[in-house]
Amino acid sequence: MWKNIKFFEENIIFTAAALDTAAMDAGATAPVISDGGKKITFTTQQMKNLGDQAVLTYTVSNESTNYNAQFAEKAVVCKADTEAGTTQDDLDTYLTLTNGTALDNAVIEAGGSKENTLTVALKQSYAGEDTKTFTYVCTIDATAVEATN
């Protein structure tokens, strides 16, 4: 059983990720899917005006054949990429992260996929002329549920 669960965990992956055109045109970097599809890393454009935002659209796929993927309320968790210089304080103070609801308490059946969004918006501006980009790392949180055929 443990081997099957491990296989399940390895096969709940990001299979697509893109930032909105406005963010990309303003200098955001294209999202990168890594760690065998388990992680998305992306950097926003320079954010300086209240309401500036970047919208990440991503697809989570369940490549398992034996298990459905059950998600909790926070199916995808994004945190500051401290290696890129973004701090958790930056996120808490200056930004809001809003996940779409397509994966909230959802099930992706074995072999299926679902698309969702994450919006990063500037909620407090910096003093002076300072602007900043923000780098995030997003991961998937799902539980195996035996598929019934």
Side-chain angles (χ1 to χ4, degrees):
M1 175 75 169
W2 180 83
K3 187 183 276 187
N4 290 338
I5 296 297
K6 183 167 175 47
F7 179 77
F8 163 81
E9 290 170 351
E10 291 171 354
N11 285 284
I12 303 301
I13 59 173
F14 293 109
T15 52
L19 282 169
D20 65 288
T21 303
M24 292 298 293
D25 288 349
T29 61
V32 174
I33 298 173
S34 61
D35 289 351
K38 303 305 284 180
K39 180 169 66 171
I40 296 174
T41 303
F42 71 99
T43 302
T44 67
Q45 71 277 22
Q46 291 279 329
M47 293 201 174
K48 57 185 172 186
N49 299 312
L50 290 179
D52 281 356
Q53 67 179 22
V55 180
L56 174 71
T57 301
Y58 58 88
T59 302
V60 175
S61 296
N62 179 0
E63 295 187 346
S64 171
T65 55
N66 298 320
Y67 294 95
N68 295 334
Q70 173 70 54
F71 295 94
E73 188 173 332
K74 294 252 185 192
V76 171
V77 177
C78 297
K79 296 183 178 179
D81 185 350
T82 54
E83 290 179 20
T86 301
T87 67
Q88 194 61 44
D89 187 52
D90 287 334
L91 302 186
D92 296 341
T93 303
Y94 298 103
L95 302 171
T96 58
L97 290 164
T98 307
N99 272 303
T101 58
L103 292 174
D104 289 358
N105 301 306
V107 172
I108 299 178
E109 293 183 3
S113 61
K114 284 191 187 265
E115 185 176 275
N116 203 20
T117 60
L118 172 76
T119 302
V120 180
L122 189 66
K123 69 178 179 182
Q124 178 180 325
S125 59
Y126 285 92
E129 296 297 316
D130 289 343
T131 61
K132 190 167 184 171
T133 61
F134 300 92
T135 302
Y136 297 91
V137 176
C138 302
T139 56
I140 305 167
D141 185 18
T143 303
V145 177
E146 194 151 2
T148 56
N149 295 336

